[in-house]
Amino acid sequence: MSATYPAGEGEWPGRIMSGEMAEQPAMLRRILERGAPAIRETAGLIAARNPRFVLLTARGTSDNAALYAKYLLEITLGLPCGLASMSTTTAYGAKPDLRDVLVITVSQSGGSPDLVASTKAAREAGAVTLAVTNNPDSPLAAVSEYHIDILAGPEKALPATKTYTASLLSLYLFVEGLRGGDGAAAAVLPDLAEEVLAREDEVRSLASRYRFAERMVITSRGYGYPTAKEAALKLMETSYIPALSYSGADLLHGPLAMVDNISPVIAVVTDGRGGEALQPVLDRLRGRGADLFVVGPAAQVAAASAGFVLPTAGVAEEVQPILEILPLQMLAYEVTIARGQDPDAPRALAKVTETR
């Protein structure tokens, strides 16, 4: 994106978000070259503790990264996982027995009081605690037994972009380390990310199609489901379009009734088992005449109303979400600009959300 929107050249709406999206290929290389050894070492130390269960704790964009980690842990390690309800300890004072449980807290800033308090309580309850943040000097890193620095660099735009993909890659490398893998499947990502981000004109053209949308539905299955949730969040916080995200299975259990030929449906089709599981949903959406936008393999895009072809050939399914989110970040950006709004300054938002 930097060819059209070079960072630092004057003041214009979306300058910061655009520049941070453009940093992602270099950031992915940095994690693979500089961050991977430390992540592998941390994973080895935790693997030696032999956790029996994993609890994932996060908010907002980081919550979607945590959901991705849940899929990784359950599919590749067979390790049962849950998403923590922090209010059970922070508001209700519950004291669960967390011996031999790994609690992973994902946070860009590491500063939200409820994340810090729940992680501290988990450690006191016997858990092995790991913080995954973009700030090794944060309060969350201080109360956790282990820490992974995602090495995203300072993120100034309110919509998180590069810290999301940095979290995904760091969590992938961590799970690979837990099982003794080398994470080699991620090596292709920086170059492919550059290819995707260079296609901004293609995304801008698609954005004009959705400029006046009153709502959107975003769906996927498997590893793509966290991408659907993150894309919906980006659209809502930047363009203010109500964007509803559903697992494809859940979409068929009622919400399908609201789908028509007016409200766009974005389908994230991962090339692999998740995409295969989504196929019946795509068939139902086409049968209802939905305005279907597909992010995924060429064959799936060709059968939709519109779409963005991802370079998924030879890319392992479990790392495709790191590529899938890129055109959807760009789409959120371009739709917001087309609607005359500034994606750098969403109303009512702060960079660090201090929930308690």
Side-chain angles (χ1 to χ4, degrees):
M1 296 186 67
S2 57
T4 303
Y5 302 127
E9 293 193 4
E11 298 292 332
W12 38 270
R15 176 181 60 86
I16 302 173
M17 182 180 176
S18 173
E20 290 177 350
M21 285 191 288
E23 291 177 30
Q24 290 175 104
M27 178 205 69
L28 296 173
R29 290 191 184 95
R30 181 165 63 245
I31 295 169
L32 291 171
E33 294 168 4
R34 290 174 37 199
I39 294 173
R40 192 177 302 115
E41 180 181 357
T42 299
L45 293 170
I46 292 175
R49 305 280 289 272
N50 196 28
R52 60 183 170 85
F53 190 86
V54 180
L55 274 177
L56 294 145
T57 306
R59 297 285 191 201
T61 284
S62 295
D63 200 30
N64 299 327
L67 180 59
Y68 168 73
K70 183 177 187 292
Y71 276 90
L72 282 173
L73 288 159
E74 291 185 343
I75 294 169
T76 64
L77 295 179
L79 196 58
C81 302
L83 299 177
S85 300
M86 283 174 277
S87 63
T88 60
T89 55
T90 60
Y92 292 92
K95 298 184 182 299
D97 180 1
L98 296 179
R99 288 172 293 178
D100 302 321
V101 173
L102 170 60
V103 172
I104 303 174
T105 306
V106 186
S107 171
Q108 299 156 42
S109 68
S112 186
D114 59 346
L115 294 171
V116 174
S118 63
T119 301
K120 183 174 183 291
R123 189 171 180 180
E124 291 170 351
V128 179
T129 53
L130 169 66
V132 180
T133 81
N134 197 36
N135 183 2
D137 298 319
S138 63
L140 178 60
V143 301
S144 299
E145 187 174 358
Y146 300 98
H147 177 258
I148 288 174
D149 184 354
I150 64 173
L151 298 177
E155 188 173 58
K156 297 180 180 179
L158 287 177
T161 54
K162 64 178 183 174
T163 51
Y164 180 68
T165 49
S167 296
L168 295 191
L169 180 54
S170 298
L171 287 163
Y172 167 74
L173 294 172
F174 171 70
V175 175
E176 279 289 286
L178 287 179
R179 70 185 189 97
D182 60 7
V188 299
L189 295 175
D191 288 346
L192 292 178
E194 281 187 342
E195 290 180 23
V196 170
L197 290 168
R199 293 161 60 189
E200 57 194 335
D201 289 344
E202 189 177 332
V203 176
R204 188 174 298 115
S205 176
L206 290 165
S208 63
R209 178 187 182 104
Y210 303 120
R211 176 180 179 183
F212 299 108
E214 295 184 0
R215 70 163 185 256
M216 290 187 179
V217 174
I218 308 177
T219 187
S220 189
R221 292 203 69 179
Y223 285 114
Y225 181 42
T227 307
K229 291 176 68 66
E230 174 61 11
L233 177 59
K234 284 292 149 295
L235 282 161
M236 288 189 287
E237 69 182 354
T238 57
S239 69
Y240 318 141
I241 296 174
L244 309 173
S245 59
Y246 294 99
S247 155
D250 288 333
L251 184 63
L252 297 183
H253 284 267
L256 184 67
M258 70 177 173
V259 173
D260 53 30
N261 61 355
I262 298 174
S263 299
V265 178
I266 298 175
V268 180
V269 186
T270 305
D271 193 358
R273 295 188 182 184
E276 293 168 5
L278 190 64
Q279 191 59 53
V281 182
L282 298 175
D283 293 341
R284 290 285 297 277
L285 289 168
R286 294 185 186 105
R288 291 187 62 82
D291 179 0
L292 183 60
F293 172 90
V294 167
V295 175
Q300 294 289 352
V301 171
S305 307
F308 187 100
V309 177
L310 279 178
T312 57
V315 181
E317 181 178 1
E318 59 268 27
V319 297
Q320 288 179 36
I322 298 170
L323 299 176
E324 288 168 349
I325 192 58
L326 300 179
L328 294 168
Q329 290 174 348
M330 290 193 288
L331 182 68
Y333 173 91
E334 295 292 354
V335 168
T336 303
I337 294 294
R339 289 163 69 95
Q341 295 151 198
D342 184 356
D344 284 343
R347 61 194 181 204
L349 292 185
K351 190 60 184 171
V352 179
T353 305
E354 296 194 354
T355 47
R356 297 181 183 273

